[in-house]
Amino acid sequence: MIGIGVNGFSNLQKRILSAIVLIVIAVVLTSLGGFAFGILACAIGLSVFYEWQLITFQRSTSVTRGLAWICLVCVMVVLLFTQDVLTMFSVLFAGAALVAAIGGRANGYWPAFGLIYAGVPAIALTLLRGDTGDGFAAILFLFAVVWATDIFAFFNGRALGGPKLAPRFSPNKTWSGAIGGAAAGVAAGVGFAAFIAPAGSISVPLIALLLSIVAQIGDLGESWVKRRFGIKDSGQLIPGHGGVMDRVDGLVAAAALLYVIGAILVTPETPYDILF
């Protein structure tokens, strides 16, 4: 039995309302594609890096943080106006190397890694979306897998409890939640793919499972970073949810993986063809 007090119920209401608003915005911008979806990808990348800086600021100087911001903005400009694969990744990794070199071990590594952590998913999402109907379907597939994983992992874990998944990284996550989330993620991915393209790739169930697992690993990784710096929430940008990182930690990890799979097995320009 899940016990929810008055405050807990109020917070749950905020979570649900915020989630609905965010889902509507995400789906609308995804359907528009092009510049509109680029704005969404940039907003995710910039928000993630903003909260990353808030969490890890004690391990960096204002110089390295400022330089990292400049590099990320350059990546976002390229993302919005050219979407050239080589240029985007070159600017991103060159910027991260520059930040790490100037900041050094004591001050530059956390901003440099944050730059990659925020930049790679923004680029991956943009390239996965592309300008085709298959790209639109690929992003919706990604959303379906990650959202189903998050929702069912949360409620299944609360309802069933049981052994902890990785208490060193996150004290509340359980194996029951992880398994339930993975099962829901696969079901959502397979169901969506069957609806969109009944004769689609036979690798869809495996891809959905990998994305679900990596999404949960991304969630654990973000929890580890917060615990390392003694932070409970990554921020307060989303009512009832805390920070943007708290909501997209699984999505950014899964987006990066799906792009890598598609880029390797298909092509960096049309990675979504791995699904449909």
Side-chain angles (χ1 to χ4, degrees):
M1 184 73 178
I2 303 175
I4 302 178
V6 175
N7 292 335
F9 182 74
S10 176
N11 187 61
L12 182 60
Q13 286 182 311
K14 289 181 180 179
R15 289 174 67 94
I16 293 173
L17 290 174
S18 297
I20 292 173
V21 171
L22 292 174
I23 288 172
V24 170
I25 292 173
V27 172
V28 168
L29 293 180
T30 300
S31 68
L32 294 174
F35 190 81
F37 186 78
I39 292 293
L40 175 62
C42 286
I44 292 174
L46 293 171
S47 298
V48 165
F49 191 66
Y50 168 73
E51 293 180 351
W52 180 275
Q53 296 279 49
L54 290 180
I55 294 171
T56 65
F57 77 97
Q58 56 188 281
R59 290 294 184 89
S60 61
T61 64
S62 58
V63 172
T64 55
R65 291 195 299 271
L67 180 59
W69 269 114
I70 292 172
C71 293
L72 183 60
V73 169
C74 290
V75 173
M76 297 300 120
V77 170
V78 175
L79 183 154
L80 283 174
F81 295 104
T82 71
Q83 296 186 10
D84 180 76
V85 178
L86 181 60
T87 302
M88 284 190 287
F89 281 113
S90 296
V91 172
L92 176 63
F93 286 104
L98 180 63
V99 171
I102 291 179
R105 177 177 298 181
N107 299 312
Y109 289 175
W110 283 98
F113 185 76
L115 182 57
I116 295 173
Y117 180 70
V120 167
I123 294 173
L125 285 168
T126 303
L127 295 174
L128 284 168
R129 175 57 182 90
D131 294 318
T132 70
D134 283 350
F136 177 43
I139 293 295
L140 293 184
F141 173 84
L142 179 68
F143 286 163
V145 172
V146 174
W147 289 343
T149 297
D150 285 347
I151 293 169
F152 280 87
F154 176 79
F155 285 106
N156 210 50
R158 288 290 186 91
L160 300 180
K164 300 299 182 182
L165 176 63
R168 290 185 57 189
F169 300 107
S170 179
N172 297 322
K173 291 179 173 56
T174 62
W175 277 102
S176 63
I179 294 171
V186 172
V190 171
F192 177 81
F195 176 76
I196 295 297
S201 173
I202 61 173
S203 62
V204 164
L206 177 59
I207 292 175
L209 177 60
L210 290 175
L211 293 179
S212 181
I213 292 172
V214 168
Q216 296 191 62
I217 292 174
D219 192 348
L220 287 172
E222 193 240 0
S223 296
W224 173 78
V225 172
K226 290 190 298 182
R227 284 171 66 83
R228 182 181 179 90
F229 287 92
I231 302 294
K232 183 179 184 295
D233 295 319
S234 63
Q236 299 296 327
L237 294 176
I238 307 175
H241 284 274
V244 173
M245 277 179 62
D246 293 329
R247 299 280 60 81
V248 302
D249 46 15
L251 177 66
V252 297
L257 176 65
L258 182 56
Y259 174 75
V260 169
I261 293 174
I264 292 174
L265 298 182
V266 185
T267 170
E269 286 73 27
T270 59
Y272 43 78
D273 286 339
I274 190 69
L275 293 171
F276 309 107

